[in-house]
Amino acid sequence: MKPKFRRISPLICEFEWNTEVSDQLLQQQLSFKACLENDFSSEIAEVRMGFKTLSLLLSSPIESLVFEEWLESISLEDSKRLLPEKIWQIPVCYSKETGRDLETLSKAKNLTIEELISIHSKPLYRLHFYGFLPGFMYLNGLPESLHTPRKSVPDREVPIGSVAIGGTQTGIYPSSSPGGWHLIGQTPNTLFDPKLDNPVFAEVGERIEFTSITFLEFERLKRHPQHPKFR
């Protein structure tokens, strides 16, 4: 399925897919992005991904008709990209000390804390894009039983490394910030390091696995923070 083109401003436009978020859609987005960057390399300043969108910031105006005709002419089947196989393991301490909303959320879901942890840590989550904060991963794969509306009143400060649930998603706060997601745990890993050439550890399309650790392990690892490791 090809996306629809939408002009937002003279230098900003968007392609949007009318389908469910999935690995197949992500494959098509990455192929589409590669085609765009190849065919309009000098005209595109930046490409930003969303779950169902690709937004373009142009370095100079391009007529909408140019993109519309290009969209009709391309075939993505010939350039379909396989998603990466790499799986990153992120240790998480699920506890009242590290996840202030863990107990409240488990009661709201009629689950024991152990059941909630098991459900959350079982899937492999697919990284679709970064946004909101530098290094904040937008992940797909949260089981429906854990879908939870965001807080009506956001927290003024969410600790760095907090693992949280908001809406249909789960994520990790790479830095301390305000936030409206439900906090269920915390990782001692460093997720964003602006001193590095590549400040984030995972590439779009790679997968994330949460592994449960004890509070003692969390305290030990926190004293010497490391980047996540892949299996």
Side-chain angles (χ1 to χ4, degrees), residues 52-172:
K52 297 183 180 183
T53 60
L54 279 180
S55 300
L56 307 184
L57 174 62
L58 304 175
S59 54
S60 58
I62 300 177
E63 292 293 329
S64 297
L65 183 60
V66 173
F67 282 118
E68 290 166 355
E69 290 179 344
W70 174 83
L71 187 58
E72 288 296 321
S73 69
I74 64 168
S75 173
L76 295 177
E77 291 302 317
D78 297 335
S79 59
K80 201 168 185 179
R81 293 194 166 195
L82 296 176
L83 295 178
E85 294 295 327
K86 186 177 288 186
I87 299 171
W88 294 92
Q89 293 183 318
I90 297 183
V92 179
C93 176
Y94 299 92
S95 70
K96 299 174 186 178
E97 293 85 0
T98 57
R100 64 178 74 135
D101 303 311
L102 179 62
E103 186 173 14
T104 304
L105 187 60
S106 65
K107 289 179 179 178
K109 293 295 182 183
N110 198 28
L111 298 167
T112 65
I113 289 177
E114 291 74 19
E115 287 172 334
L116 191 151
I117 294 170
S118 177
I119 295 170
H120 184 265
S121 59
K122 187 176 181 179
L124 293 175
Y125 296 90
R126 185 75 71 179
L127 171 57
H128 280 247
F129 62 100
Y130 286 95
F132 172 53
L133 294 169
F136 189 97
M137 297 181 290
Y138 278 81
L139 307 173
N140 186 40
L142 181 69
E144 189 174 350
S145 60
L146 295 185
H147 291 184
T148 308
R150 292 168 175 79
K151 295 179 179 180
S152 56
V153 180
D155 294 323
R156 291 186 176 182
E157 184 176 358
V158 173
I160 184 173
S162 290
V163 177
I165 290 172
T168 62
Q169 300 165 47
T170 189
I172 316 168

